Amino acid sequence: MSANELRRDYLLDRWAVIAVERKRRPTDFVKEVEEKKVKVCPFCPDNEHMTPPAVLVYVPSNGSIRKERDQNGFRHKGWLIRCFPNLYPAFTPADQEENVQIKEDTVLAKAFGHHEVIAESPHHDEHPGVARIPQLVHVINAYLDRLNALSAKTYTQYVSIFRNHKRDAGASLSHTHTQLISTPFVPRIVAEEMEASRRFWVKNKRCTFCEIIKKERDSPRFIWENDSFVAFAPWASVHPLEFWIFPKRHQPTLLDMSRAEIEDLAVALRICLGGLKSLLKDPPYNFGFHIALSKEASDYYHWHLEVYPKLTIWAGFEKSTGIFINVVPPEDAAESLREAVQKEEKGLVAKV
Ligand SMILES: [Zn+2]
Ligand SMILES: [Zn+2]
Ligand SMILES: [Zn+2]
C-alpha cells in the first residue's frame, strides 16, 4: 500500500492529507438538493421594507448608475444592487469613532464592526455562476464602494467579503447575495498569510504570491486564466474541488483594480463558478476574499479569492487537529474544473 501524501499550505502552518487510497472522482459528489422555496423573499424587489434601510442602492439612470441611500421609512425601488445592514449582525457599529486596540493579551473586547448584505441582483436566482457580466460588474463595484466606506472607520482593521451559496453552506436565504463583515482586528488566517509573505519579502524582496502564481500557471493544478486573472487548485487544498482566483498584477486589495480588471474579474467569477455549477449540478460553496488594508503590507500581500465547495463534512479529526483529509487530489480537481470551465467559456462566448 502506498502512503498518502501530506502537503503543507504555501504559507500557513496547515497540513492536508491527500488521500489517494480513498480517492474519489469529482463527479462522485454530484448531489441534487432541492432548495426550500420561501413564499416571500425579503431580498426581492417590492419587499424592501422587510430589511433595514439600504446604505447603498444602485439605481439605473439615463444609461448610467445613480448611487442612493434609503432615508428613514423611505425605500428606493427599481434597484440593480441593494446593500443593507444584516438584520442579525455578528458585529455592530460603535456609537462614535473609537480606536479599538485589540492587543496580544486581550481576551475580551466589544464586537465593533459592520455586518452588511449585498443583494446582487433584483432577480432572485441571478447567482454569479449564471449572472450577466454587466450585473457582475455592478456587484464588484458594490464590493469596492462598501470596502471603501467600511475601511475608513477607525475601528476597522479588516473587511471580510464572503458568500455562502445554498443552505448546506450556511445561506439562510436563497436570493443571490454576498455579505461583508468588518472586524476590529485582522483575522488569524489572513494575519498568518501576511506574516509569512512579509518574511519572504524581507528575505527575497519579492512577493511570494506572485511566485506562487507563476509556478501554478504551469502546473497540473492550473484551471483557467484571462488577461488579468488566473484560477488554480491550491497545492494543499483542504476541500475537494477547492480553487483560488488571483489577479496577475501585484495588488494588495481589490481597491487597486483598474476598470478592465473589474470586467475581467466579473468574467472570471462567471466562468469559474459557472464551471463548478455545471460540473457538480450547482453544489453548495463558500467563498471569501483575502485582502490587506494596511499600507505596510502593500509590497508583499497580494489579494485573492478562495472558493470552497462544500462537498464533505469536517469531522472529529479535522476539527480537533486542524489537519484536513482531502479525498480529491488538487490535480484531479483541476483537470475536471479545467474541462468544465472551458465548456462554460465556449457557451458564454456563443451567447454574446
Ligand atoms: Zn428573492
Ligand atoms: Zn504579488
Ligand atoms: Zn488566502
Side-chain angles (χ1 to χ4, degrees):
M1 219 161 120
S2 60
N4 289 328
E5 277 181 20
L6 261 179
R7 295 189 186 183
R8 188 185 181 276
D9 180 72
Y10 306 107
L11 301 172
L12 306 176
D13 187 17
R14 182 179 69 190
W15 291 86
V17 179
I18 308 299
V20 275
E21 285 301 326
R22 14 195 311 207
K23 168 167 137 158
R24 311 253 311 260
R25 281 168 311 168
T27 44
D28 290 348
F29 294 101
V30 172
K31 181 173 116 190
E32 271 174 281
V33 183
E34 265 301 304
E35 287 286 291
K36 255 204 262 157
K37 293 251 184 309
V38 278
K39 278 201 199 89
V40 180
C41 169
F43 295 178
C44 267
D46 293 333
N47 297 336
E48 291 86 359
H49 60 279
M50 294 176 73
T51 57
V55 291
L56 176 68
V57 185
Y58 285 5
V59 190
S61 161
N62 300 325
S64 70
I65 296 291
R66 216 175 62 233
K67 297 179 184 179
E68 300 282 358
R69 279 180 89 96
D70 291 341
Q71 302 288 353
N72 307 319
F74 177 78
R75 300 284 191 273
H76 283 277
K77 304 275 180 187
W79 48 270
L80 295 176
I81 294 281
R82 187 164 185 273
C83 176
F84 45 90
N86 192 304
L87 205 48
Y88 307 102
F91 287 78
T92 47
D95 292 334
Q96 50 204 326
E97 286 288 297
E98 272 189 63
N99 211 339
V100 188
Q101 279 265 338
I102 298 193
K103 297 193 198 76
E104 220 159 83
D105 54 358
T106 302
V107 291
L108 177 69
K110 292 216 167 69
F112 282 141
H114 293 250
H115 188 169
E116 299 181 345
V117 175
I118 296 178
E120 296 165 18
S121 167
H123 303 294
H124 188 88
D125 291 318
E126 193 172 12
H127 293 281
V130 295
R132 297 158 297 156
I133 299 296
Q135 185 63 33
L136 281 175
V137 170
H138 294 322
V139 173
I140 297 163
N141 280 327
Y143 291 172
L144 301 181
D145 283 338
R146 293 315 297 157
L147 191 50
N148 259 320
L150 296 180
S151 58
K153 309 266 178 203
T154 50
Y155 50 85
T156 298
Q157 291 298 318
Y158 192 77
V159 180
S160 167
I161 305 173
F162 63 98
R163 190 169 203 284
N164 302 332
H165 183 66
K166 294 203 157 178
R167 195 165 288 265
D168 275 0
S172 48
L173 282 162
S174 58
H175 192 109
T176 183
H177 70 282
T178 299
Q179 299 184 63
L180 285 94
I181 294 184
S182 67
T183 58
F185 57 88
V186 178
R188 182 174 59 85
I189 292 188
V190 181
E192 276 181 30
E193 283 185 349
M194 235 173 234
E195 178 51 24
S197 56
R198 189 190 63 80
R199 281 199 308 263
F200 186 90
W201 192 82
V202 167
K203 214 167 122 195
N204 305 291
K205 290 285 174 285
R206 287 197 310 271
C207 163
T208 186
F209 296 97
C210 285
E211 304 276 302
I212 293 166
I213 297 165
K214 219 191 298 168
K215 215 187 294 165
E216 295 298 15
R217 272 180 76 196
D218 284 320
S219 83
R221 290 171 296 279
F222 169 81
I223 296 171
W224 181 83
E225 67 180 330
N226 61 10
D227 285 348
S228 319
F229 290 88
V230 58
F232 59 86
W235 157 254
S237 300
V238 294
H239 304 268
L241 279 293
E242 177 173 349
F243 63 91
W244 295 359
I245 298 176
F246 272 82
K248 288 181 179 172
R249 186 168 68 81
H250 180 81
Q251 41 190 313
T253 89
L254 286 82
L255 296 171
D256 303 308
M257 276 191 288
S258 67
R259 279 179 86 118
E261 283 171 330
I262 292 172
E263 287 254 350
D264 281 352
L265 177 59
V267 173
L269 290 173
R270 171 65 182 75
I271 301 254
C272 293
L273 294 169
L276 177 68
K277 177 184 181 345
S278 61
L279 179 65
L280 296 183
K281 297 217 159 76
D282 202 12
Y285 67 80
N286 304 101
F287 78 40
F289 287 88
H290 282 169
I291 62 172
L293 292 175
S294 79
K295 278 266 174 303
E296 302 98 87
S298 61
D299 284 327
Y300 51 82
Y301 200 79
H302 193 132
W303 76 263
H304 52 279
L305 175 68
E306 301 190 0
V307 183
Y308 322 121
K310 172 86 175 63
L311 307 173
T312 48
I313 292 170
W314 282 354
F317 181 64
E318 282 85 353
K319 286 181 180 169
S320 66
T321 63
I323 303 170
F324 300 91
I325 301 170
N326 183 353
V327 290
V328 180
E331 293 73 23
D332 293 8
E335 190 183 357
S336 298
L337 283 167
R338 204 156 52 229
E339 280 170 26
V341 154
Q342 277 166 9
K343 269 189 228 154
E344 199 62 29
E345 190 171 26
K346 273 194 200 121
L348 190 68
V349 171
K351 246 189 352 202
V352 173

